[in-house]
């Protein structure tokens, strides 16, 4: 480097800039484009510096209105608007706007000036990127940064300034897969469903996904005041003109970024059915379950969760979660639950609930397959002595059932009214549908071409039960499962076996702990 260039660079490094310009540059680096405020000492210099760097400044007549304007920009652009205020009364005037932004979940950055105080470092400048991040990550809202006067007027060397790069957009969080499957199942079985679109869906830019869900599932929808326009009001599925009737008669309601507050009558009768099921979709965990206990909660980005719902809406054949959701709905609270199988037992543990001690039996510490029917027989004999009428529900994977399936004869011989559920995916862990199996056998003998995990597709295990005089059912849809399980629980004179066909490739979600599933399958 030449001596003249070196000297020029040294001069630039020694050049001093005011703190106000550093603040304005930090805001611009974070993607701030709009600033509203009522200037005064010491924040006036920040407004000038912002304009100099290309940030639009709009001078207002009252801090409250300035705060409202800045928060609305945050909602419209998904980057926080800035409200610039002085200390004392100026900040107090802005508090209503900050509260309004928090309640609406709109990102807002309020910068206030205060009296001087000793500053030994540049730490105050570094608060701006964190403030922007806090205002837009998770549930958006207001964030306040206090800028003492001596920070605004401070002169610093250019070389000492390190701007933090613009923070990334908020991470997109998705709902738990099992909850999505449950929600899809509840919605699929609704007789009078209703979608309520809140401003949270608008902020999440979820219009395309919500529109697809409404169109593909033929769902009626009702927008909240600021959810209007996510789907046009003139859409044929909009029930805004019959709002009261839609709320009163819906049996399943999906809340997309809408809160059960005064606008929606807190979700309570008489405006809603007493037995209505709410599916709540929200980015904020604290909002889930407010006022009314939802049937399903989906915590995550509304746009992403809606796409998850779209992906699972046609979950037929059923999957494990769909099956267990409907089973759980009808299980007596005092029943014995016996379970075995790989995915069947593991997923069943998370969904099928127990309310009493010593009422759950499964493969246990030794991980033994084949214990199910023996355990179920023992539970039924004990229940018959101690509490006649108490039910025993035995949930088996199709592979696990094969270990001791002929004990069905024992169950029938002693007329033990056990309800056997065989969750059948045509294989061990995973199987194949009938068409794939048929095509596979064209390539050679099954001993060479059939994967070791596969079992014969669509095996009618229910016929083992009917062969010995019990009730057998073959089901493929949630409606058939609900009906047959209801009949089986109502009949205390005979055992029943419900053969439940599910998606052959259905499985549990990947495990994060390798020692739980060491296999590469």
């Amino acid at each position: 480097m030449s001596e003249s260039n070196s000297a020029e660079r040294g001069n630039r490094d020694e050049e001093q800039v005011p703190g106000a310009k550093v603040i304005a540059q930090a805001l611009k680096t974070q993607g701030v484009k709009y600033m509203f405020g009522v200037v005064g000492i010491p924040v006036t210099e920040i407004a000038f510096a912002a304009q100099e760097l290309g940030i639009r400044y709009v001078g207002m007549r009252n801090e409250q209105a300035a705060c409202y304007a800045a928060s609305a920009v945050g909602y419209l652009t998904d980057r926080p608007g800035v409200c610039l205020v002085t200390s004392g009364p100026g900040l107090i005037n802005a508090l209503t706007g900050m509260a309004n932004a928090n309640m609406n979940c709109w990102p807002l950055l309020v910068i206030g000036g205060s009296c001087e105080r000793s500053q030994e470092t540049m730490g105050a400048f570094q608060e701006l990127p964190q403030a922007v991040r806090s205002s837009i990550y998770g549930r958006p809202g207001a964030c306040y940064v206090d800028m003492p006067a001596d920070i605004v007027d401070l002169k610093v060397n250019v070389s000492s300034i390190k701007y933090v790069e613009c923070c990334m957009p908020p991470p997109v969080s998705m709902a738990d897969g099992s909850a999505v499957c449950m929600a899809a199942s509840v919605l699929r079985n609704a007789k009078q469903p209703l979608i309520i679109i809140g401003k949270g869906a608008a902020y999440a830019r979820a219009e395309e996904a919500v529109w697809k869900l409404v169109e593909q599932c033929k769902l009626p929808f009702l927008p909240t005041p600021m959810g209007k326009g996510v789907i046009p009001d003139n859409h044929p599925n909009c029930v805004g003109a019959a709002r009261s009737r839609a709320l009163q008669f819906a049996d399943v309601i999906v809340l997309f970024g809408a809160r059960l507050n005064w606008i929606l009558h807190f979700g309570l009768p008489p405006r809603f059915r007493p037995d209505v099921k709410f599916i709540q979709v929200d980015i904020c965990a604290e909002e889930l379950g407010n006022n009314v206990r939802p049937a399903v909660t989906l915590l995550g980005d509304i746009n992403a969760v809606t796409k998850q719902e779209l992906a699972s809406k046609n979950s037929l054949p059923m999957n494990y979660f769909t099956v267990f959701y409907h089973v759980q709905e009808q299980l007596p609270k005092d029943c014995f639950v016996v379970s075995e199988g790989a995915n069947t037992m593991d997923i069943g543990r998370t969904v099928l609930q127990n309310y009493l001690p010593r009422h759950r039996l499964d493969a246990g510490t030794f991980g033994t397959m084949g214990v199910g029917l023996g355990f179920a027989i023992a539970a039924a004999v004990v229940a018959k002595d101690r509490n006649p009428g108490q039910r025993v529900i035995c949930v088996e994977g199709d592979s696990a059932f094969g270990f001791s399936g002929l004990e069905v004869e024992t169950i029938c011989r002693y007329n033990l009214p056990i309800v056997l559920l065989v969750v059948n995916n045509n294989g061990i862990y995973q199987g194949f549908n009938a068409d794939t199996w048929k095509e596979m056998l064209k390539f050679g003998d099954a001993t060479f071409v059939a994967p070791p995990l596969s079992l014969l597709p669509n095996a009618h295990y229910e016929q083992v039960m009917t062969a010995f005089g019990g009730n057998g059912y073959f089901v493929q849809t949630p409606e058939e499962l609900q009906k047959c399980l209801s009949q089986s629980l109502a009949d205390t004179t005979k055992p029943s076996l419900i053969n439940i066909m599910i998606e052959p490739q259905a499985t549990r979600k990947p495990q994060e702990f390798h020692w739980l599933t060491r296999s590469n399958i």
Side-chain angles (χ1 to χ4, degrees), residues 251-458:
D251 62 340
V252 173
I253 295 177
V254 186
L255 300 167
F256 282 112
R259 287 176 281 178
L260 293 175
N261 53 22
W262 64 273
I263 295 176
L264 289 175
H265 317 289
F266 305 103
L268 300 173
R271 294 298 187 119
F272 293 82
R273 285 172 47 157
D275 60 345
V276 63
K277 294 180 180 178
F278 286 102
I279 299 172
Q280 195 170 6
V281 185
D282 207 285
I283 190 69
C284 178
E286 291 84 354
E287 195 58 47
L288 301 176
N290 274 351
N291 299 318
V292 174
R293 183 176 180 177
V296 187
T297 57
L298 300 175
L299 176 64
D301 176 82
I302 294 170
N303 190 32
V305 173
T306 307
K307 291 176 180 177
Q308 286 180 279
E309 282 286 351
L310 279 167
S312 64
K313 76 177 185 66
N314 291 321
S315 186
L316 287 175
M318 294 182 285
N319 57 35
Y320 289 98
F321 297 99
T322 307
V323 169
F324 291 140
Y325 173 80
H326 291 292
V327 171
Q328 174 60 37
E329 275 200 324
Q330 295 195 45
L331 283 189
K333 286 195 172 183
D334 66 343
C335 72
F336 286 94
V337 176
V338 180
S339 180
E340 68 169 335
N343 294 334
T344 301
M345 183 176 67
D346 290 345
I347 299 174
R349 283 171 172 164
T350 67
V351 181
L352 301 179
Q353 300 177 12
N354 282 90
Y355 302 91
L356 297 171
R358 297 172 298 282
H359 277 61
R360 186 178 200 91
L361 299 167
D362 65 20
T365 307
F366 207 32
T368 311
M369 291 297 103
V371 298
L373 272 69
F375 283 177
I377 290 169
V381 170
V382 170
K384 195 173 184 178
D385 283 340
R386 295 183 178 178
N387 190 8
Q390 188 176 20
R391 305 313 302 269
V392 176
I393 314 298
C394 183
V395 186
E396 299 274 299
D398 50 341
S399 173
F401 178 74
F403 281 86
S404 56
L406 276 180
E407 295 301 335
V408 166
E409 185 274 335
T410 307
I411 293 172
C412 290
R413 189 183 344 137
Y414 291 100
N415 199 28
L416 302 173
I418 297 168
V419 178
L420 275 165
L421 306 177
V422 178
V423 184
N424 188 351
N425 70 345
N426 300 336
I428 305 166
Y429 296 107
Q430 295 178 339
F432 299 93
N433 61 35
D435 291 338
T436 303
W437 178 265
K438 186 177 180 180
E439 289 297 314
M440 187 167 54
L441 293 185
K442 292 180 180 179
F443 294 93
D445 187 270
T447 56
F448 290 110
V449 299
L453 299 177
S454 59
L455 298 174
L456 192 66
N458 300 338

Side-chain angles (χ1 to χ4, degrees), residues 31 44 48 116 181 233 236 245 260 270 336 357 378 475 511:
T44 304
F48 278 115
E116 296 184 5
C181 291
D233 285 350
R245 188 171 181 83
L260 293 175
F336 286 94
V475 304
Q511 299 294 308

Side-chain angles (χ1 to χ4, degrees), residues 4 24 75 116 129 153 156 236 287 377 425 512:
S4 60
Y75 172 63
E116 296 184 5
D153 298 329
V156 294
E287 195 58 47
I377 290 169
N425 70 345
E512 296 179 356

